[in-house]
């Protein structure tokens, strides 16, 4: 299950929030490796490291790193506290693995947000954009901030892809555009931690004061080429969670005319499964008016599978291309950039535009004096 290697750090290549990229020599071969200092400590040139090399040997596209498991000769210091009580939290993520981490969840009595989350039972109409790929996040944000630059947006990262939020260079580049990241389920490393998607959404609203939330798995995903064998299918469950909490779900459809796999052309079969069969309650499914003609025709032919339950929303695309091109992070999905897969990113941006429009409407409909505290 694990291919282990022992090597020596020869170079610290680059770092971003929560992660450091290394070159590690293993029997004369250079491996590109990644370490999470919060888990294993700060690697330095000359350190011996233990590596898990599965992903690199397989050449996985998103996560093709050898992962540092330990610095056995220079262990990091213990975290603050005695470790014998729950003052620093007792929520365990990556449970029962050798690197399980103990964090403080927003739900715990020791959390400064405990009272707000304990009292919360509704999102109060907050719009929530659901997307099945992490790559949609910057495009959704571009659509939101194109119309409302001051909108407060929280990201709820589920555990279908990477578990450490630190893996994402996209999140590092979007720190100034988000009021915070909440890692839920087995995912960890966000600004806040939550046990479930439901409590993560409540934290977005009541702890971070978000106007809009975005729910998506972390970078990377697990898929086996079948409709039910894809981690992003859980986006349909996110729609159900939003409805259960009194929010407004906005689905970012996965649309492409560039994917070489026919099952992903037009509306991806994963979106058809997640929204058509997993989501049991209605949501809004925005479509931009600027899709290229052949793609638009194929999408229209597929909409009947979704329009039985959901509301198809036509969204003007004016200004969205400019907003996408101004993204502070590179746009990339399955190795394709904005121009190579324009319809995918434009549709995600349209979801953001529609969601922030709902947020403005919701605020305007609040009785005087009852606007949400921020």
């Amino acid at each position: 299950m694990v291919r282990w290697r022992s090597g020596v750090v020869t170079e610290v290549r680059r770092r971003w929030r929560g992660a450091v990229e290394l070159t590690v020599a293993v029997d004369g071969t250079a491996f590109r490796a990644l370490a999470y200092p919060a888990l294993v400590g700060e690697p330095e040139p000359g350190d011996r490291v233990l590596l898990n090399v599965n992903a690199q040997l397989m050449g996985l596209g998103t996560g093709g790193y050898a992962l540092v498991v330990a610095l056995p000769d220079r262990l990091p210091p213990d975290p603050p506290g005695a470790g014998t009580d729950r003052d620093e939290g007792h929520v365990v993520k990556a449970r029962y693995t050798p690197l399980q981490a103990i964090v403080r969840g927003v739900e715990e009595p020791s959390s400064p947000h405990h009272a707000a989350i304990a009292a919360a039972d509704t999102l109060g109409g907050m719009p929530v954009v659901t997307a099945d790929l992490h790559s949609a996040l910057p495009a959704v944000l571009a659509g939101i901030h194109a119309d409302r630059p001051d909108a407060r947006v929280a990201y709820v990262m589920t555990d279908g892809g990477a578990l450490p939020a630190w893996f994402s260079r996209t999140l590092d580049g979007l720190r100034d555009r988000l009021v915070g990241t909440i890692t839920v389920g087995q995912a960890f490393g966000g600004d806040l931690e939550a046990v479930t998607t439901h409590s993560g959404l409540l934290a977005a609203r009541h702890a971070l004061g978000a106007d809009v939330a975005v729910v998506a798995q972390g970078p990377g995903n697990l898929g086996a080429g079948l409709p039910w064998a894809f981690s992003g299918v859980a986006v349909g469950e996110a729609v159900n969670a939003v409805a259960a909490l009194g929010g407004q779900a906005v689905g970012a459809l996965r649309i492409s005319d560039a994917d070489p796999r026919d099952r992903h052309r037009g509306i991806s079969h994963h979106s058809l499964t997640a929204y058509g069969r997993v989501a049991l309650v209605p949501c809004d499914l925005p479509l931009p008016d600027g899709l290229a003609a052949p793609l638009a025709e194929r999408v229209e032919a597929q909409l009947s599978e979704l329009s039985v339950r959901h509301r198809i929303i036509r969204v003007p695309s004016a200004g969205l291309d400019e907003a996408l091109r101004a993204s502070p992070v590179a746009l990339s999905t399955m190795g394709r950039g904005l121009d190579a897969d324009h319809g995918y990113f434009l549709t995600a941006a349209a979801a953001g535009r529609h969601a922030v429009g709902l947020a403005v409407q919701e605020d305007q409909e609040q009785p005087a004096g009852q606007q949400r505290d921020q």
Side-chain angles (χ1 to χ4, degrees):
M1 296 177 68
V2 177
R3 289 171 173 81
W4 291 88
R5 299 292 186 273
S6 177
V8 175
V9 177
T10 60
E11 179 188 10
V12 176
R13 297 167 57 95
R14 58 176 172 169
R15 62 175 64 239
W16 56 93
R17 187 184 187 190
V20 56
E21 185 181 287
L22 312 165
T23 301
V24 176
V26 179
D27 296 331
T29 299
F31 279 71
R32 187 177 68 142
L34 194 70
Y36 302 118
L39 295 182
V40 301
E42 284 282 355
E44 298 176 358
D47 280 338
R48 183 168 70 93
V49 292
L50 299 182
L51 302 175
N52 176 334
V53 299
N54 281 350
Q56 189 168 72
L57 292 181
M58 291 185 68
L60 297 182
T62 300
Y65 286 102
L67 296 172
V68 175
V69 181
L71 281 65
D73 303 324
R74 193 167 59 82
L75 297 177
D78 285 347
T84 58
D85 53 42
R86 301 186 176 190
D87 290 346
E88 299 301 321
H90 82 294
V91 172
V92 183
K93 303 284 187 100
R95 291 184 285 277
Y96 305 107
T97 68
L99 287 178
Q100 65 181 11
I102 297 178
V103 299
R104 181 162 59 188
V106 291
E107 307 92 343
E108 297 191 80
S110 63
S111 166
H113 305 293
H114 170 75
I117 302 304
D121 190 45
T122 177
L123 298 177
M126 180 180 71
V128 179
V129 180
T130 60
D132 69 358
L133 291 177
H134 187 71
S135 58
L137 175 61
V140 172
L141 274 174
I144 292 172
H145 289 141
D147 291 351
R148 190 173 166 189
D150 62 344
R152 297 172 58 84
V153 185
Y155 172 46
V156 177
M157 183 180 127
T158 63
D159 55 14
L163 296 187
W166 309 312
F167 183 78
S168 176
R169 294 194 299 274
T170 294
L171 275 182
D172 184 54
L174 293 174
R175 277 184 292 169
D176 294 339
R177 305 293 179 97
L178 294 166
V179 294
T181 293
I182 306 162
T183 34
V184 305
Q186 297 280 5
F188 58 91
D191 300 292
L192 298 177
E193 305 281 358
V195 174
T196 67
T197 300
H198 297 75
S199 55
L201 286 167
L202 290 172
R205 182 69 159 178
H206 299 285
L208 296 179
D211 301 307
V212 181
V214 182
V215 177
Q217 61 184 332
N221 60 80
L222 180 60
L226 300 176
W228 295 107
F230 173 56
S231 54
V233 166
V235 75
E237 299 289 5
V239 171
N240 298 334
V242 173
L245 293 171
Q248 302 182 79
V250 177
L253 290 170
R254 182 173 168 185
I255 286 175
S256 178
D257 58 359
D259 200 297
R261 300 162 294 181
D262 187 67
R263 64 183 183 272
H264 292 305
R265 295 179 75 85
I267 303 175
S268 167
H269 74 129
H270 290 320
S271 282
L272 296 175
T273 300
Y275 295 110
R277 301 186 66 182
V278 180
L280 302 178
V281 292
C283 71
D284 291 354
L285 298 176
L287 282 174
D289 63 8
L291 294 176
L295 175 60
E297 292 166 6
R298 183 161 183 165
V299 167
E300 291 294 335
Q302 295 170 300
L303 284 177
S304 61
E305 298 184 44
L306 300 175
S307 59
V308 173
R309 176 173 299 141
H310 304 296
R311 298 172 290 272
I312 309 301
I313 308 295
R314 310 292 174 166
V315 177
S317 59
L320 291 182
D321 181 74
E322 293 83 352
L324 289 166
R325 295 186 188 281
S327 171
V329 299
L331 300 177
S332 178
T333 185
M334 302 294 171
R336 300 184 296 272
L338 174 59
D339 290 321
D341 210 346
H342 195 265
Y344 169 79
F345 295 107
L346 190 66
T347 303
R353 166 168 279 176
H354 177 64
V356 81
L358 292 175
V360 171
Q361 179 180 336
E362 187 264 329
D363 280 346
Q364 291 174 342
E365 291 175 353
Q366 288 283 348
Q370 293 187 22
Q371 271 79 20
R372 179 169 38 85
D373 292 335
Q374 294 186 4

